Amino acid sequence: GDSVTQMEGPVTLSEEAFLTINCTYTATGYPSLFWYVQYPGEGLQLLLKATKADDKGSNKGFEATYRKETTSFHLEKGSVQVSDSAVYFCALRKRPDSWGKLQFGAGTQVVVTP
Amino acid sequence: SQTIHQWPATLVQPVGSPLSLECTVEGTSNPNLYWYRQAAGRGLQLLFYSVGIGQISSEVPQNLSASRPQDRQFILSSKKLLLSDSGFYLCAFMGRARDRGSTDTQYFGPGTRLTVL
């Protein structure tokens, strides 16, 4: 079945460091891929997405490129801030899928220290 | 604009008591609706989804049930809570093609933190 695998956390970084969170997936066809972020005590917010191979999603300094050949969608940010401390979830949506169900990874906690 | 509300924000309930969590969506018609549970330190588990009024699909067998009495209202219920029902419950929606914005994306509510003692 479909699955999403993320690197385990917590990932601890100093402010202004480079962040990479690895995400790989298993799915038939060409799924849509998403990164969601969850700040402490809150719901999930969509961070970025990509719907086809080689698409790059970007938002708030974060980027991720849909790599069909490596079935990956790694999240990167060049210079993190303390406010980026959160849990990051990678997810996929199969296509076609009229129900719109998402398959989430386990989440990666990121802690940024001053 | 499209918004999603959940209440209550937090809830502490004794084992064996009933449960009712509510989720409402504004600014869209006939959305797909979803209930997720997030156990402490773990990922999200899809519990139920609905593509229309009265249409509920369950993803996992459990002590919970869901209902959709109105187009933009989604309710999560239990007759008797278990300790294992504790967690963070998230409601989400996905708009339809005629709405503004993407139909490929789920938007989440703020969540309800449930503690069963």
Side-chain angles (χ1 to χ4, degrees):
Chain A
D2 301 335
S3 65
V4 177
T5 303
Q6 290 181 237
M7 60 188 291
E8 289 189 19
V11 175
T12 303
L13 304 165
S14 297
E15 206 164 22
E16 300 183 359
F18 185 88
L19 170 68
T20 299
I21 304 176
N22 290 340
C23 170
T24 57
Y25 68 89
T26 302
T28 55
Y30 296 87
S32 294
L33 301 173
F34 305 82
W35 276 102
Y36 283 85
V37 58
Q38 184 179 32
Y39 299 103
E42 298 183 8
L44 274 68
Q45 299 176 24
L46 177 67
L47 185 58
L48 53 84
K49 70 175 186 179
T51 57
K52 61 183 186 295
D54 299 325
D55 266 3
K56 177 185 285 188
S58 61
N59 185 26
K60 299 181 180 180
F62 290 89
E63 293 183 341
T65 301
Y66 190 141
R67 300 290 189 196
K68 180 66 177 176
E69 64 276 12
T70 54
T71 62
S72 65
F73 193 52
H74 304 323
L75 183 68
E76 297 181 336
K77 186 174 185 181
S79 177
V80 294
Q81 305 300 312
V82 173
S83 57
D84 293 324
S85 298
V87 180
Y88 293 81
F89 291 93
C90 186
L92 71 79
R93 177 190 174 187
K94 285 179 64 174
R95 290 183 298 165
D97 172 16
S98 59
W99 313 127
K101 293 189 289 182
L102 293 177
Q103 180 71 45
F104 282 91
T108 302
Q109 184 180 11
V110 173
V111 177
V112 181
T113 57
Chain B
S1 63
Q2 300 170 352
T3 56
I4 178 169
H5 306 278
Q6 285 186 247
W7 65 91
T10 60
L11 191 59
V12 180
Q13 293 283 97
V15 169
S17 64
L19 172 73
S20 180
L21 303 181
E22 190 161 344
C23 170
T24 58
V25 179
E26 296 177 358
T28 185
S29 297
N30 197 24
N32 286 358
L33 297 171
Y34 309 86
W35 276 113
Y36 291 87
R37 176 169 58 203
Q38 185 178 27
R42 302 183 66 179
L44 282 82
Q45 179 184 38
L46 178 63
L47 302 176
F48 301 95
Y49 64 96
S50 172
V51 299
I53 296 174
Q55 301 178 57
I56 309 294
S57 297
S58 174
E59 284 291 289
V60 293
Q62 60 202 314
N63 183 43
L64 302 169
S65 62
S67 62
R68 185 171 178 174
Q70 300 180 43
D71 181 43
R72 289 168 286 181
Q73 184 185 30
F74 205 23
I75 297 172
L76 184 69
S77 304
S78 173
K79 292 181 178 178
K80 289 185 177 181
L81 283 169
L82 306 173
L83 287 174
S84 58
D85 292 325
S86 293
F88 192 48
Y89 289 83
L90 290 159
C91 182
F93 78 94
M94 179 182 294
R96 297 294 180 159
R98 63 180 178 276
D99 294 319
R100 287 175 295 175
S102 170
T103 60
D104 200 31
T105 303
Q106 287 188 24
Y107 297 93
F108 285 78
T112 295
R113 185 161 304 282
L114 171 66
T115 303
V116 182
L117 302 175

